[in-house]
Amino acid sequence: MLSIHFARHLMVAGLATLLCGAVAAAAQAAEPPLTLEAAVQHGLARAPQLDARTADTVAAREEAARAGQLPDPTLTFGLSNFPVTSPGAFSLRSEGMTARTVGVMQAIPSRTARRAERALASARIDAAQADRVATVQSVRERIADAWIDVWVTEQQRSLLAALHDEAGLAVRIAQARLRGGEGNATDVLAVRAEAATLDNRLEAIGADLVAAQAGLQRWLGPGVFDLAEAPDFGRLPVTADHLEQRIDQQAPMQAWQAREQVAQAALEQARAAKHPDWSVTASYGRRAPGLSDMVMLEVGVSLPLFTRNRQDRGISARQAQWDAVQADHEDARRAQREAVTRAVATWQGWNQQVQRYQDTLLLLARDRAQTALAGYRGGGSLQPWLDARRAEIELRLNYADALAARARLWASLAYLLPTSETTP
């Protein structure tokens, strides 16, 4: 009875395991294939870098809210007209003018200084937002590269797996020729070694695919992703002319305009230091019993009279920094234009190479290998097939590398502008 009960328990557990596996497989099958754009959007939604840049923007806005405000007032306590020599030294009652005072002092920076402080805070908000735009562009491109890594590795596996059946056919032909007395054992060993070499390459590609999936999981979370059809990497979502005409709108360049605004605001703040600041102090003095209490009101103003080695030096320093930012901005603009031109030219070159692979090279390599194998089956030498096969394998891997290079350049160009700037 115990053995029957145990067997039933195992059967129930086994059925539950099979049912869970079937449910998981059905859920996985229900997931639509992952497109490149879906991967980018999903990765952006959970990218911690964007959360960090959003927090930077919030911090800049909070700083801007207090910019240009009056500083906190200062509460003062003290003694006035306190005697320290005879007669009546150190007595609060010996001198009628002695008073215990409490007061409030309020500093009032100049209106120009407060306006410059608000302008600087506003420029820092723009700088934080520009950094976020640049981060979005970088994250989009990195997610696309991760998706492309998986896609290219799958292409490599497919390209080499298509040659697997031919390797088995070559082994069978060599063994048949050996049995018929037309071949030799060396040929059999050679074709078996060639088949094993292909298996090794496929195993290595399988490991590369696992690594590429891990790279995509870094952005999308755990899971094995079934990729959808790749977009047309031979056609940019934005024209090359459109990119070259909008250098300053591209994500890497947007931070420069914000940096110029920060430098300009810092210069205005330095100039505002030449305007006088004000202060108001009010205090109440309590004297000895029988004597009147006293009230004091003071107004102070700073005197920026000797500005040559003070305010003027600060203005000159901020002016030089603004000039430096403008010069760096122009250099970055030229470098970006060069980078875009180079990337477009290289992408177009890869386009032509990929097309040549598809139209000519891959077909010729396939015909060469098939012709050589047919010749070997008809009694010819094995070496032409070995040479043709090895050349075809390398050609297919080179083709996959060309696909990868073109796709990565496509991603670097497709995400240069905000999505609203792309054109069909």
Side-chain angles (χ1 to χ4, degrees), residues 108-125:
I108 306 175
S110 69
R111 182 177 300 179
T112 303
R114 293 164 64 190
R115 187 186 303 116
E117 185 179 359
R118 286 192 291 268
L120 180 59
S122 178
R124 285 173 176 161
I125 292 176

Side-chain angles (χ1 to χ4, degrees), residues 39-343:
V40 170
Q41 295 304 321
H42 183 58
L44 282 176
R46 65 188 307 274
Q49 299 98 316
L50 298 188
D51 294 338
R53 300 292 77 77
T54 300
D56 288 340
T57 303
V58 171
R61 292 187 184 279
E62 293 295 330
E63 290 291 339
R66 69 172 188 169
Q69 302 294 323
L70 290 176
D72 292 332
T74 301
L75 182 65
T76 62
F77 301 93
L79 289 172
S80 64
N81 301 314
F82 184 61
V84 293
T85 59
S86 297
F90 305 108
S91 173
L92 294 175
R93 298 175 180 273
S94 61
E95 172 57 54
M97 293 300 295
T98 300
R100 288 164 288 183
T101 63
V102 58
V104 176
M105 191 274 288
Q106 176 66 62
I108 306 175
S110 69
R111 182 177 300 179
T112 303
R114 293 164 64 190
R115 187 186 303 116
E117 185 179 359
R118 286 192 291 268
L120 180 59
S122 178
R124 285 173 176 161
I125 292 176
D126 293 340
Q129 291 174 334
D131 284 342
R132 190 181 188 280
V133 171
T135 302
V136 168
Q137 182 268 339
S138 175
V139 170
R140 290 168 71 194
E141 185 177 346
R142 292 173 66 185
I143 296 171
D145 283 344
W147 190 96
I148 289 168
D149 284 342
V150 176
W151 175 76
V152 166
T153 308
E154 289 180 347
Q155 295 299 307
Q156 290 177 332
R157 183 177 63 180
S158 176
L159 287 166
L160 293 192
L163 302 178
H164 194 271
D165 290 344
E166 186 180 81
L169 176 61
V171 170
R172 292 193 296 272
I173 292 172
Q175 291 174 340
R177 288 190 59 180
L178 179 62
R179 288 193 297 269
E182 298 178 1
N184 55 69
T186 303
D187 287 351
V188 175
L189 296 175
V191 294
R192 290 178 62 186
E194 192 67 24
T197 300
L198 179 61
D199 289 338
N200 269 350
R201 285 181 178 267
L202 288 171
E203 290 290 342
I205 291 174
D208 291 341
L209 182 58
V210 173
Q213 288 277 358
L216 194 55
Q217 291 167 7
R218 178 251 189 274
W219 299 104
L220 306 184
V224 177
F225 304 101
D226 180 22
L227 301 190
E229 193 72 22
D232 184 4
F233 292 126
R235 182 173 179 269
L236 287 172
V238 55
T239 65
D241 291 340
H242 191 79
L243 285 175
E244 293 178 359
Q245 292 169 4
R246 287 165 174 78
I247 293 296
D248 285 329
Q249 284 72 44
Q250 293 172 14
M253 297 301 300
Q254 291 194 11
W256 282 105
Q257 184 176 359
R259 290 171 190 169
E260 281 194 8
Q261 293 174 351
V262 171
Q264 177 66 36
L267 175 59
E268 294 302 324
Q269 192 175 45
R271 288 172 176 167
K274 299 187 76 171
H275 293 261
D277 296 329
W278 296 79
S279 66
V280 177
T281 303
S283 63
Y284 183 88
R286 185 176 180 82
R287 297 201 293 172
L291 297 176
S292 299
D293 293 342
M294 309 290 285
V295 172
M296 181 186 70
L297 180 65
E298 290 183 344
V299 176
V301 59
S302 64
L303 299 175
L305 300 177
F306 308 101
T307 62
R308 180 177 179 182
N309 287 316
R310 295 179 182 176
Q311 290 87 350
D312 289 348
R313 296 290 185 179
I315 293 172
S316 297
R318 301 293 87 76
Q319 179 69 57
Q321 289 176 345
W322 186 44
D323 293 341
V325 171
Q326 286 184 309
D328 286 339
H329 187 182
E330 178 58 27
D331 180 71
R333 184 182 291 112
R334 296 179 185 181
Q336 183 68 13
R337 181 174 288 107
E338 176 193 1
V340 170
T341 303
R342 285 178 178 270

Side-chain angles (χ1 to χ4, degrees), residues 364-385:
L364 291 176
R366 186 87 289 269
D367 290 343
R368 177 189 173 191
Q370 289 177 339
T371 301
L373 184 59
Y376 177 61
R377 173 184 283 176
S381 172
L382 176 65
Q383 192 61 43
W385 179 78

Side-chain angles (χ1 to χ4, degrees), residues 353-363 395 398-399 402:
Q353 292 188 48
V354 167
Q355 196 65 44
R356 189 172 294 110
Y357 274 114
Q358 294 173 346
D359 294 343
T360 305
L361 294 176
L362 291 174
L363 298 177
L395 184 71
N398 291 339
Y399 170 61

